[in-house]
Amino acid sequence: MACTLSANNLISLFLLIMEFSYKEITRQLKDLSNVSLTRTVLISTNHVHRIRLIHWEITSIIKHISSCFAFDMLIESVTSTVRVIYFMFLILRFLTEAFYSPSKSSTFSIFQSIVFLISVVGKFVYLCYRCNRVVQEEENSLICINSLLLKARSHKDTQAVSVLSDFLEQAKVRQISFTACGLFTLNLRLVCTIFGITMTYFIVLVQFKTAAQSTKTE
């Protein structure tokens, strides 16, 4: 488990760096877009080409990270889901004991469970958040490229249009995503899905438990 958590922290660090790299690309594209273009002042195609190369390198690094740590992401996703389900089971047991046997219930135990859930599952939630942020920043850079391309077309800058069109095509083809061995994508939507499934499971357990206790009392 220590290896998985170490990989989790390492991935989060890489993702944070990639997020700021995409932010820098977006900033440079916005700076180019804010330049007042005239017939003599056109978009710097050399600058665009440099940004395009940086974008290529960043997406390559991200693809390597996603492939190298795919199994670690899968293990972390599965273990986090199991822990959430286990936590819900402890909650159910605590509520049952508190309702039917108040003397046996332990507030300290449920407090321990909450601390356990936050400390362990929180790492997975943070990982999904970082993945989500990188994808959002990549989408922002795509919007900036498209905006700059429209501006170049409006000023009939054929050289810039050609370079930006290639850049836009590259960005679309090399769109990034973080998956756990290709089974599912790591983002905040996955976190909501996991909690939604576990809450459904918890409600079903509560209903079965209530029905079982009602049968015993009768």
Side-chain angles (χ1 to χ4, degrees), residues 33-160:
S33 183
N34 291 332
V35 174
S36 298
L37 301 182
T38 63
R39 291 184 178 180
T40 56
V41 180
L42 301 176
I43 296 174
S44 174
T45 53
N46 289 332
H47 194 180
V48 173
H49 185 66
R50 286 196 298 270
I51 298 174
R52 180 185 174 186
L53 291 177
I54 295 172
H55 183 277
W56 179 278
E57 293 297 331
I58 293 173
T59 52
S60 297
I61 293 172
I62 289 176
K63 288 180 183 296
H64 284 307
I65 292 173
S66 185
S67 60
C68 290
F69 293 101
F71 185 72
D72 296 277
M73 292 179 180
L74 177 62
I75 294 297
E76 189 65 22
S77 302
V78 173
T79 53
S80 297
T81 304
V82 172
R83 285 165 182 159
V84 172
I85 294 174
Y86 175 67
F87 170 75
M88 291 299 183
F89 172 76
L90 293 179
I91 290 286
L92 175 62
R93 190 176 68 176
F94 171 78
L95 293 176
T96 304
E97 291 178 353
F99 184 77
Y100 293 101
S101 304
S103 59
K104 295 182 180 180
S105 63
S106 174
T107 306
F108 180 71
S109 297
I110 198 65
F111 177 75
Q112 281 183 316
S113 302
I114 293 174
V115 172
F116 169 79
L117 182 73
I118 294 174
S119 62
V120 180
V121 180
K123 291 180 178 291
F124 174 70
V125 175
Y126 180 73
L127 174 63
C128 290
Y129 169 74
R130 291 263 64 96
C131 291
N132 203 77
R133 287 293 302 158
V134 174
V135 173
Q136 285 180 345
E137 289 300 328
E138 193 266 346
E139 291 174 351
N140 289 338
S141 66
L142 190 63
I143 293 172
C144 289
I145 297 169
N146 194 44
S147 175
L148 196 58
L149 177 59
L150 292 175
K151 189 172 184 179
R153 284 174 176 167
S154 65
H155 286 79
K156 298 180 180 180
D157 187 350
T158 55
Q159 187 177 4

Side-chain angles (χ1 to χ4, degrees), residues 15-26 54 58:
L15 292 175
L16 187 61
I17 296 172
M18 294 302 103
E19 178 187 342
F20 280 99
S21 299
Y22 272 122
K23 281 184 178 180
E24 179 61 21
I25 288 177
T26 302
I54 295 172
I58 293 173

